Amino acid sequence: MNASHTKVKAWIKAARPRTLPASVSPVLLACAVAYSDGTFRWLPALLCLGVALLAQIASNFANDYFDFKKGADTDQRVGPARAVASGWITPRAMLTGTFITLGLACMLGLGLVWMCGWQLLLVGIAIAIGVLAYSAGPYPLAYIGLGDVCVLLFYGVIPVCFTYYVQAGHFTALIFLLSLALGFLSINILVVNNYRDYIQDKLASKRTTIVLFGRKFGRVFYLLNGLFALIAALPLFMQASRWQVLLIGLYYFLFIQTWKELSFREGKGLNPTLGKTARNVFLFAFLLIVILLF
């Protein structure tokens, strides 16, 4: 295997492709609501999808770089290997990659500003700041217990509501509730990640909610997020047919089985649980889309 091929593989791993459904799901959900309402527009939808994917990749790159700089990623890491900490990519190259990817996201975002109004510029600025502020700066949000709030906003409320807005030109109560539902479930990806990394985060003074309140809190928090998602999606679930109600039941069976793994798995054993949690977010979005369209 030549060096250039190895570098490409390193960058692909650094982008964390298994996490990308978390950014695709809210865009697809919002598009399904727009289609159901007769307001779907394919070009703004594609631009939103591009912004969401590039912003998450930029966030993953930034997290890789800044966690290494702050000592949160070491050779004791029990999660998937990180590119900078493993020596696959230099810190300088990773920082450059972060800004290039974020710049591409901003370019696509400017297309949305041109099509839909200057107000979206404020949303774009908030997203760009969020990408960097999550791990960077003197008070990175992930290090002061605000990571969960960021996930709720940037993987739920903002992408769902504004993907719908650029197509419909307005917001609805339903789109806001569905954005909360998806955001609550997306928080669980972070919960599992922080639950697994509890010891390393504590040593690195990374004050996640799990470090602040303990692993028992993490198990309860995971379950509550699933309950909050159910409550927020109730207006849509109430419209479900009998066979769709069965799908809702099957989904929550999978959710409970995944939640149970937090009680008996440790360290690297939680990596599959992280993958299943990300899968659950995508399945929940798909379930909502099925109810909306069928």
Side-chain angles (χ1 to χ4, degrees), residues 27-40 174 178 236 239-241 243-244 285-294:
V27 175
L28 294 180
L29 175 58
C31 289
V33 179
Y35 184 84
S36 177
D37 291 347
T39 58
F40 176 75
L174 179 62
L178 295 183
L236 186 59
Q239 304 172 25
S241 62
W243 69 271
Q244 290 169 345
F286 182 74
L287 173 61
L288 296 177
I289 290 170
V290 167
I291 296 172
L292 280 162
L293 301 184
F294 300 99

Side-chain angles (χ1 to χ4, degrees), residues 57-115:
I57 292 171
S59 179
N60 289 343
F61 287 168
N63 185 252
D64 198 309
Y65 173 81
F66 289 108
D67 274 2
F68 171 76
K69 284 294 186 179
K70 294 176 184 297
D73 284 345
T74 67
D75 56 3
Q76 301 299 313
R77 179 177 172 80
V78 294
R82 293 289 176 252
V84 177
S86 300
W88 304 335
I89 299 171
T90 66
R92 183 176 180 179
M94 183 60 76
L95 188 61
T96 301
T98 298
F99 284 109
I100 289 174
T101 310
L102 186 57
L104 291 172
C106 291
M107 287 177 64
L108 293 183
L110 287 175
L112 288 168
V113 171
W114 178 72
M115 292 177 64

Side-chain angles (χ1 to χ4, degrees), residues 71-196:
D73 284 345
T74 67
D75 56 3
Q76 301 299 313
R77 179 177 172 80
V78 294
R82 293 289 176 252
V84 177
S86 300
W88 304 335
I89 299 171
T90 66
R92 183 176 180 179
M94 183 60 76
L95 188 61
T96 301
T98 298
F99 284 109
I100 289 174
T101 310
L102 186 57
L104 291 172
C106 291
M107 287 177 64
L108 293 183
L110 287 175
L112 288 168
V113 171
W114 178 72
M115 292 177 64
C116 305
W118 66 267
Q119 298 91 338
L120 290 177
L121 185 61
L122 301 177
V123 180
I125 292 171
I127 292 171
I129 291 173
V131 165
L132 298 174
Y134 185 80
S135 302
Y139 302 103
L141 301 175
Y143 286 69
I144 57 175
L146 293 177
D148 310 276
V149 177
C150 288
V151 171
L152 178 63
L153 290 175
F154 293 106
Y155 291 91
V157 175
I158 290 175
V160 174
C161 288
F162 282 97
T163 298
Y164 181 82
Y165 175 81
V166 299
Q167 297 173 75
H170 61 270
F171 302 106
T172 66
L174 179 62
I175 201 70
F176 179 67
L177 287 172
L178 295 183
S179 75
L180 288 176
L182 205 59
F184 284 130
L185 279 182
S186 296
I187 289 173
N188 280 344
I189 298 174
L190 186 62
V191 170
V192 177
N193 189 73
N194 293 341
Y195 188 94
R196 180 200 62 208

Side-chain angles (χ1 to χ4, degrees), residues 20 23-28 31 42-56 108 112 163:
L20 298 184
S23 59
V24 173
S25 298
V27 175
L28 294 180
C31 289
W42 67 270
L43 184 54
L46 283 177
L47 288 174
C48 284
L49 183 61
V51 170
L53 285 169
L54 288 168
Q56 184 174 359
L108 293 183
L112 288 168
T163 298

